[in-house]
Amino acid sequence: MKVDTRLLDRVSSGPEFDAKLCLNCGTCTALCPLGLEILPRKIFHHVLLGDKERLLAEENAIFSCLLCRMCEVNCPGGVHIAENVRALRVYLNEEIHGLAEV
Amino acid sequence: MPVPIASTLGILSDNLRKRRSALPLSRRARTGWARGLALPHGGETVIYTGQMWQMVPSINAMAHQLGKYENSSSGSLFRFARSMNKLVNLTPFLARVSAKDRAFYDERLRNIARLLQNAGVPFGYLYEDDLYTGALAYDEGLDPAFVRHAQYVYSVLKARGVRRLITVDPHTTNMLRTVYPKVVKGFDLEVRSYLEVLDARHPKAQKKLDVQATYHDSCLYARAEGVVEPPRRLLAGAGLRMVEPELSGKLTFCCGGPLETLFPGKSADIARQRIEQLRSVDHRVITACPLCFANLSRAAPKDTEIRDISDYLSEAYAATPA
Ligand code: SF4
Ligand code: SF4
């Protein structure tokens, strides 16, 4: 795996990204209407590890999230999951969708 | 395969920058609902639609079109659409709205305005300056375009001397009350949903409705804005016997609406699941969001009756005009 040492910084430069508060309990995935493995075993983990390739491969999952916050209101770690998902969207929009310009 | 994400979001971002809306609508489509209601132009307190109710007939028509592409490889078509849309507003072509659909959604806004009038709430309307808040662009992470748009919307509200906003849907409420203060410096407007405004006045029903129904909480009202009790108190006051689904209030289950643009198939799956949960307690379902209403209605079997909360409330609380 190629490590992108700037990945976490890039993702954190937009909306709040506090995935490091995650306790790895799996409540979010269990409650998600889509069963998204948003946290922690997959997508957010890729960011914390600097695994850009795996992160980009999750584009569909990242844009599938309803931002419904069923996970968030039940998260024992107090992770702002919906904002984290938005942070990833902002990053992907800049990085691969060519939608960065202001 | 979903619809092409980059091109679809590109269209959204371009529309917001160039036309200040996700789905740019004609003046008549935006403000026609207020005809004949004699709403004053502007003022310190205004009803703020954020064009959400007005947009739903176009979203319905568009969803129908996009649904055809969800499982095809139509990337080049979408890329072409995006470049065309930079030059001409494609919305009226992509989304042919029937007059009946438009009139139906307009009527919900008229319900809400009449309820406020009947409750003696003084308010005006900004007509041309009642702008879309940029909710969808925010959700999709189009932050550069969204932030600039939000600042513009706020500058218009300040220039019009507005101090209090009465919102009519959860998305606009959440944007203005929770998101704008984070991205617009000095934001100082008071924002309340019409359900909160009405509830605070403890209105007396003019007519009691003898009906049993279940209420679908919108995710944003329930989890982000704490609007859980006002709709229930108003419905109970109107005489309705409310039965709760297993997942309600803060633990409500999404209607699937947010996925409609990019993943219409998944969106419909979620809606069907939610409808089943609601129908297991009652076939009469009440919504309080135009997007929940539209998405659940599409998924519901014929014997399910879905109505907006403003229908019941106006029958009970605005039975006779103010
Ligand atoms: S519910 Fe919260 S703490 Fe548990 S795995 Fe999900 S994000 Fe982590
Ligand atoms: S906010 Fe996203 S990840 Fe969380 S429960 Fe809803 S759809 Fe699933």
Side-chain angles (χ1 to χ4, degrees):
Chain A
M1 169 188 127
K2 213 169 110 210
V3 177
D4 178 347
T5 51
R6 292 182 54 243
L7 187 59
L8 180 57
D9 284 347
R10 278 286 309 280
V11 172
S12 310
S13 66
E16 184 185 17
F17 191 77
D18 59 1
K20 58 182 181 301
L21 297 178
C22 171
L23 310 168
N24 217 335
C25 71
T27 304
C28 47
T29 304
L31 294 178
C32 175
L34 291 155
L36 289 177
E37 293 183 88
I38 289 283
L39 278 171
R41 290 169 296 276
K42 269 176 99 179
I43 303 174
F44 287 1
H45 211 85
H46 302 333
V47 181
L48 301 177
L49 289 178
D51 192 342
K52 181 174 168 182
E53 208 175 307
R54 282 224 169 86
L55 176 68
L56 297 188
E58 295 292 351
E59 182 194 9
N60 276 352
I62 292 166
F63 281 91
S64 293
C65 169
L66 297 152
L67 301 180
C68 74
R69 301 186 216 205
M70 178 70 117
C71 52
E72 193 170 310
V73 291
N74 289 288
C75 168
V79 181
H80 294 108
I81 302 177
E83 267 310 271
N84 289 4
V85 171
R86 280 204 343 100
L88 294 177
R89 289 181 179 177
V90 170
Y91 172 74
L92 292 186
N93 283 337
E94 286 176 7
E95 194 67 18
I96 58 172
H97 296 156
L99 295 169
E101 39 62 58
V102 177
Chain B
M1 202 189 104
V3 300
I5 296 177
S7 305
T8 310
L9 296 187
I11 291 177
L12 173 60
S13 167
D14 296 341
N15 275 345
L16 200 63
R17 271 189 301 118
K18 285 177 180 264
R19 306 184 182 103
R20 303 199 192 281
S21 182
L23 287 174
L25 305 173
S26 71
R27 182 198 175 103
R28 193 164 151 215
R30 277 177 279 135
T31 64
W33 69 271
R35 225 171 305 143
L37 289 173
L39 304 180
H41 282 255
E44 289 195 350
T45 304
V46 295
I47 187 170
Y48 201 81
T49 75
Q51 299 176 21
M52 288 298 288
W53 279 96
Q54 299 92 314
M55 245 176 239
V56 174
S58 302
I59 296 176
N60 283 345
M62 213 104 137
H64 181 71
Q65 289 293 329
L66 290 175
K68 294 185 196 157
Y69 298 117
E70 192 181 17
N71 294 310
S72 69
S73 54
S74 49
S76 55
L77 179 66
F78 274 78
R79 277 193 295 280
F80 174 70
R82 185 181 175 198
S83 31
M84 283 297 291
N85 186 66
K86 285 189 186 192
L87 307 172
V88 255
N89 177 14
L90 284 186
T91 305
F93 303 99
L94 288 175
R96 286 184 187 280
V97 172
S98 72
K100 200 172 140 218
D101 215 22
R102 163 93 42 232
F104 177 85
Y105 284 90
D106 279 358
E107 194 52 36
R108 294 346 355 122
L109 284 171
R110 296 169 67 81
N111 276 344
I112 294 168
R114 280 191 295 255
L115 277 162
L116 291 166
Q117 286 174 329
N118 260 59
V121 179
F123 67 98
Y125 174 45
L126 294 171
Y127 295 83
E128 281 296 281
D129 286 336
D130 178 301
L131 301 170
Y132 177 56
T133 60
L136 185 56
Y138 173 78
D139 284 354
E140 300 294 12
L142 295 166
D143 283 25
F146 167 72
V147 170
R148 245 182 336 162
H149 179 77
Q151 285 160 347
Y152 175 75
V153 170
Y154 184 61
S155 72
V156 171
L157 291 169
K158 289 308 263 189
R160 294 289 305 260
V162 174
R163 296 176 64 177
R164 284 170 295 273
L165 299 162
I166 303 175
T167 50
V168 297
D169 74 87
H171 294 264
T172 305
T173 310
N174 176 244
M175 280 294 120
L176 293 168
R177 184 150 80 186
T178 304
V179 177
Y180 272 41
K182 290 189 205 157
V183 300
V184 178
K185 231 174 122 204
F187 185 94
D188 64 353
L189 306 179
E190 181 192 304
V191 181
R192 283 195 303 161
S193 136
Y194 82 96
L195 295 168
E196 295 169 298
V197 172
L198 289 178
D199 177 54
R201 296 201 161 220
H202 309 293
K204 278 247 165 315
Q206 296 155 350
K207 185 180 151 197
K208 289 274 186 181
L209 310 175
D210 179 22
V211 174
Q212 178 175 302
T214 185
Y215 176 72
H216 163 75
D217 287 276
S218 110
C219 297
L220 282 175
Y221 264 162
R223 284 195 271 266
E225 298 303 324
V227 182
V228 173
E229 292 309 324
R232 288 177 169 77
R233 268 195 295 266
L234 290 165
L235 288 166
L240 278 93
R241 295 180 304 283
M242 301 306 296
V243 281
E244 295 282 354
E246 200 182 325
L247 296 174
S248 71
K250 264 196 128 171
L251 291 181
T252 187
F253 191 91
C254 185
C255 71
L259 283 187
E260 202 172 49
T261 323
L262 295 178
F263 301 91
K266 280 190 200 175
S267 171
D269 282 348
I270 304 276
R272 277 191 291 271
Q273 285 182 50
R274 182 52 171 165
I275 280 290
E276 276 321 304
Q277 297 167 9
L278 294 161
R279 272 166 54 92
S280 72
V281 291
D282 206 284
H283 76 286
R284 271 200 199 93
V285 174
I286 304 177
T287 55
C289 166
L291 298 176
C292 295
F293 175 84
N295 219 47
L296 293 177
S297 297
R298 264 197 294 276
K302 284 219 161 34
D303 60 348
T304 314
E305 185 189 305
I306 306 182
R307 291 179 73 191
D308 182 64
I309 186 169
S310 69
D311 288 2
Y312 290 103
L313 298 183
S314 47
E315 253 174 65
Y317 296 101
T320 49

